[in-house]
Amino acid sequence: MGSAISAFVRMPPFRALWVLLAALLVAGVHPPGALAQPGDPEREQVRAIALKAAELIAARGLEAAAAVLNREGEFRHGALYVTVIDFAGVWKVYPPRPAGVGISVINVKDPDGRDIVRDILSVARDAGEGWVEYRWLNPASNRIEPKTTFVKRVPGQELVAYAGLYH
């Protein structure tokens, strides 16, 4: 192993860069934004559901909206569902595990150590809406996979609705 490292160190800089790039591609590492692209029908569906969920909460209130968001239908089908947190990072709606409502998830990190809940809240506070990319356990495959999530602040409230898709 030591000889492989010393051989890599002695490589011309551009060749070493190409070797690293090839290794990253083989490993399946993607730069931010390289996964679901604008115009992707799944990405647009996720965005539309999160936007509509935020509108529903603003119009009907959280309790009435939660009843709709938790049942199978427009906002929850297959692996797609809407989660709602408050600005303190507490679950307000979490369809896969309704018993988790009320639990703080502010310190949740992805397997790479990224503060995903803080990132979601930052997008909601700073821009009102946008995309967050991270890696997460896909319950369908039972593997850590890239996930792209659309975040929408509920108008006039300190609540965030979001939905995501795996790649």
Side-chain angles (χ1 to χ4, degrees):
M1 178 92 161
S3 63
I5 292 171
S6 62
F8 181 78
V9 171
R10 288 190 308 256
M11 270 187 203
F14 287 112
R15 178 152 182 201
L17 179 61
W18 281 112
V19 170
L20 284 172
L21 285 172
L24 289 173
L25 289 173
V26 169
V29 176
H30 304 281
L35 301 172
Q37 295 297 320
D40 175 348
E42 286 183 312
R43 180 180 165 110
E44 295 307 318
Q45 178 188 25
V46 164
R47 181 179 181 274
I49 287 172
L51 291 172
K52 195 166 183 181
E55 290 172 12
L56 177 70
I57 295 165
R60 292 197 194 169
L62 181 60
E63 191 173 327
V68 175
L69 298 174
N70 277 316
R71 69 175 176 248
E72 284 290 322
E74 180 180 9
F75 296 99
R76 181 181 181 202
H77 47 87
L80 184 59
Y81 56 87
V82 174
T83 299
V84 180
I85 58 173
D86 66 17
F87 273 20
V90 174
W91 271 334
K92 297 299 182 179
V93 177
Y94 187 57
R97 197 172 123 221
V101 169
I103 293 174
S104 175
V105 291
I106 191 70
N107 294 317
V108 169
K109 298 177 188 300
D110 80 354
D112 300 321
R114 184 169 179 185
D115 287 316
I116 58 176
V117 175
R118 291 179 198 278
D119 288 350
I120 288 168
L121 290 171
S122 178
V123 168
R125 283 187 186 117
D126 298 345
E129 66 182 55
W131 294 96
V132 175
E133 293 184 7
Y134 52 96
R135 293 181 342 115
W136 201 246
L137 179 66
N138 182 338
S141 68
N142 203 31
R143 293 188 322 222
I144 301 295
E145 297 178 2
K147 187 170 185 179
T148 302
T149 295
F150 188 79
V151 174
K152 175 64 179 163
R153 180 179 182 170
V154 176
Q157 299 183 40
E158 292 190 347
L159 295 171
V160 182
Y162 59 95
L165 67 141
Y166 291 94
H167 308 280

